[in-house]
């Protein structure tokens, strides 16, 4: 159904699949992305309709997380959707920071689940950099957001080079000794 762009049928099939087997990670992911408007399929939509689609995709990821709290991609993808929602709200002149914070919570949880993966830290840095741009556009002080963006980006670099993991192992070893 998806290949033929029968989107309603594809959504129903994916909903049925995850209802029958809630551990189908790829089905949850495709379902959330399809409903959330991440695919290039379907007609163009307004900014408000796009936000509603993203919120529906976010809700599907929330359901998926309830079934499998250890699957890091659900949190990463829900966090990315939340950042997209923040952008939509910002463009309409609404407060984006609730969704910036929610996205950061997802990325923080992902970094706990998989501390040796750089993407959660990278995404936290990108999210806070965008939040700083939101502050600047409102003629507000972005210092807090800039500091968070730099800190998370530096952590991502340390994770990539192995320094972060080595530091955590050293700290853990010192606590035991």
């Amino acid at each position: 159904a998806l290949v033929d762009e029968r989107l309603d049928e594809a959504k129903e099939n994916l909903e049925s699949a995850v209802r029958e087997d809630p551990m189908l990670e790829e089905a949850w992911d495709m379902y959330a992305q399809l409903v959330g408007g991440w695919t290039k399929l379907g007609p163009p939509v307004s900014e408000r309709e796009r936000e509603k689609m993203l919120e529906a995709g976010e809700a599907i990821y929330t359901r998926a997380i309830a079934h499998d709290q250890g699957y890091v991609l659900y949190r990463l993808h829900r966090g990315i959707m939340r950042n997209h929602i923040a952008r939509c709200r910002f463009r309409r002149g609404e407060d984006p920071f609730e969704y910036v914070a929610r996205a950061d919570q997802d990325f923080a949880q992902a970094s706990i689940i998989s501390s040796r993966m750089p993407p959660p830290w990278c995404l936290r840095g990108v999210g806070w950099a965008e939040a700083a741009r939101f502050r600047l556009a409102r003629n507000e002080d972005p210092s807090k957001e800039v500091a968070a963006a730099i800190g998370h980006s530096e952590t991502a670099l340390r994770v990539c080079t192995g320094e972060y993991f080595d530091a955590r192992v050293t700290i853990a070893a010192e606590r035991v000794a």
Side-chain angles (χ1 to χ4, degrees), residues 12 22-24 33 60 62 73 95 107 111-112 118 131 141 143 163 166 176:
E12 289 171 14
M23 299 309 284
L24 292 174
Q33 291 179 25
I60 291 169
T62 299
L73 287 180
D95 187 354
F107 302 143
S111 69
I112 290 167
D141 180 13
S143 299
E163 291 177 33
D166 293 342
V176 172

Side-chain angles (χ1 to χ4, degrees), residues 36-37 45-54 84 88:
V45 296
S46 71
E47 189 74 11
R48 183 66 189 128
E49 289 171 308
R50 176 167 164 63
E51 183 177 342
K52 285 183 180 186
M53 291 171 73
L54 288 164
H84 287 301
C88 289

Side-chain angles (χ1 to χ4, degrees), residues 5-143:
E5 292 194 39
R6 296 189 319 269
L7 303 184
D8 290 337
E9 185 180 341
K11 290 173 191 176
E12 289 171 14
N13 290 343
L14 289 164
E15 173 63 37
S16 177
V18 298
R19 199 176 320 114
E20 287 178 31
D21 185 354
M23 299 309 284
L24 292 174
E25 290 95 355
E26 293 84 3
W28 278 112
D29 214 26
M30 179 54 70
Y31 184 34
Q33 291 179 25
L34 183 61
V35 170
W38 272 10
T39 66
K40 300 284 186 191
L41 304 173
V45 296
S46 71
E47 189 74 11
R48 183 66 189 128
E49 289 171 308
R50 176 167 164 63
E51 183 177 342
K52 285 183 180 186
M53 291 171 73
L54 288 164
E55 288 171 345
E58 173 196 21
I60 291 169
Y61 276 123
T62 299
R63 287 175 50 207
I65 290 167
H67 290 287
D68 187 351
Q69 295 190 14
Y71 190 61
V72 73
L73 287 180
Y74 293 158
R75 292 188 189 276
L76 293 177
H77 291 168
R78 185 176 69 174
I80 293 168
M81 278 196 174
R82 287 175 166 178
N83 273 339
H84 287 301
I85 293 168
R87 244 179 262 129
C88 289
R89 290 183 172 214
F90 175 75
R91 287 185 199 124
R92 284 199 327 273
E94 294 180 18
D95 187 354
F97 293 102
E98 173 188 349
Y99 274 90
V100 168
R102 286 181 180 187
D104 189 63
Q105 288 172 346
D106 279 332
F107 302 143
Q109 284 297 312
S111 69
I112 290 167
I113 294 166
S114 187
S115 64
R116 294 172 64 178
M117 279 180 59
W121 298 104
C122 294
L123 290 167
R124 288 184 91 181
V126 169
W128 285 111
E130 187 161 36
R133 288 192 294 276
F134 295 157
R135 290 269 184 228
L136 280 172
R138 297 165 94 178
N139 293 318
E140 297 173 1
D141 180 13
S143 299

